[in-house]
C-alpha cells in the first residue's frame, strides 16, 4: 500500500514528471496516479445538487492510471475516468473525436462509476497518458488550465 501521495501540477504539454513516475511504477509493479483538471474553486457551482441519489459522478473528472499487476502473463495497464458528464462516456467521447484505440478493451462504462479501460502493457506510456488527459479534459465542463496529479508510489 502506498503512503501519502506526491502532488504534482502539470500541463498537458509537460508530462515528463508524470511519465517518469509511471515508468518507476511499471518497474515496481505497484502504485497509481490520480489526475484531475485543476478547476478553480470559484468556478464550481455553489449548489451542485443532492449527491446521495445522483446517477452522476464528480463534476471534475478523476482520471486514474495503474501499472500492470504482478499476476498473469500479460496483465494490462488500467486507466479510468470518473466523471459527471452523465450517461455513458465512451459514446460521448467517440462523438467528440476521442476514440478508444482498437487494441484497448473497455471493461466498464457506467454513468456513476465512470469508465475503466485496459490497455496492452506494451503500449507507450505517453500515448496512454495523452489519451487519458484528452478524454478527461473532454468530460470536464468547467474551465481549467493545468492538471493536478497525486502520485502514489509503491512502498
Amino acid at each position: 500500500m502506498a503512503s501519502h501521495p506526491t502532488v504534482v501540477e502539470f500541463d498537458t504539454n509537460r508530462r515528463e514528471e508524470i511519465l517518469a513516475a509511471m515508468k518507476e511504477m511499471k518497474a515496481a509493479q505497484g502504485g497509481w496516479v490520480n489526475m484531475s483538471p485543476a478547476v478553480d474553486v470559484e468556478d464550481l457551482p455553489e449548489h451542485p445538487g443532492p449527491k446521495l441519489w445522483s446517477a452522476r459522478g464528480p463534476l471534475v473528472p478523476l482520471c486514474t492510471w495503474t501499472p500492470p499487476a504482478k499476476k498473469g502473463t500479460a496483465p494490462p495497464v488500467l486507466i479510468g475516468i470518473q466523471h459527471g458528464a452523465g450517461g455513458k462516456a465512451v459514446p460521448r467521447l467517440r462523438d467528440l473525436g476521442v476514440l478508444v484505440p482498437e487494441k484497448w478493451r473497455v471493461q466498464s462504462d457506467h454513468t456513476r462509476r465512470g469508465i475503466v479501460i485496459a490497455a496492452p502493457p506494451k503500449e507507450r506510456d505517453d500515448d496512454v497518458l495523452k489519451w487519458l488527459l484528452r478524454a478527461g479534459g473532454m468530460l470536464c465542463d468547467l474551465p481549467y488550465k493545468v492538471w493536478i496529479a497525486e502520485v502514489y508510489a509503491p512502498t
Side-chain angles (χ1 to χ4, degrees):
M1 183 55 89
S3 59
H4 296 288
T6 300
V7 178
V8 178
E9 182 178 293
F10 70 101
D11 182 282
T12 57
N13 295 318
R14 300 183 58 94
R15 302 174 302 281
E16 298 82 12
E17 192 170 350
I18 304 304
L19 289 167
M22 290 166 66
K23 183 178 180 180
E24 289 176 19
M25 288 181 211
K26 270 184 146 177
Q29 296 179 308
W32 70 93
V33 182
N34 288 337
M35 298 163 275
S36 292
V39 172
D40 189 316
V41 71
E42 292 183 13
D43 290 328
L44 294 171
E46 280 187 48
H47 303 287
K51 186 72 174 147
L52 183 61
W53 302 109
S54 174
R56 297 175 71 138
L59 286 174
V60 179
L62 174 65
C63 302
T64 301
W65 176 93
T66 59
K70 294 179 183 178
K71 54 188 170 193
T73 56
V77 167
L78 293 177
I79 58 174
I81 306 173
Q82 287 182 300
H83 59 86
K88 297 197 180 258
V90 173
R92 180 174 178 183
L93 289 170
R94 182 179 53 243
D95 292 346
L96 294 170
V98 183
L99 303 174
V100 176
E102 190 176 309
K103 293 182 181 178
W104 297 14
R105 190 175 70 245
V106 176
Q107 293 187 328
S108 175
D109 186 4
H110 189 273
T111 303
R112 185 166 186 179
R113 292 186 302 271
I115 60 177
V116 176
I117 297 174
K122 296 206 186 263
E123 195 78 32
R124 287 181 25 148
D125 290 339
D126 198 29
D127 292 340
V128 174
L129 181 58
K130 282 194 265 188
W131 187 93
L132 185 58
L133 295 174
R134 184 169 180 228
M138 290 289 198
L139 294 171
C140 185
D141 292 331
L142 299 167
Y144 68 94
K145 293 182 181 170
V146 296
W147 286 75
I148 298 292
E150 293 179 336
V151 178
Y152 291 85
T155 55

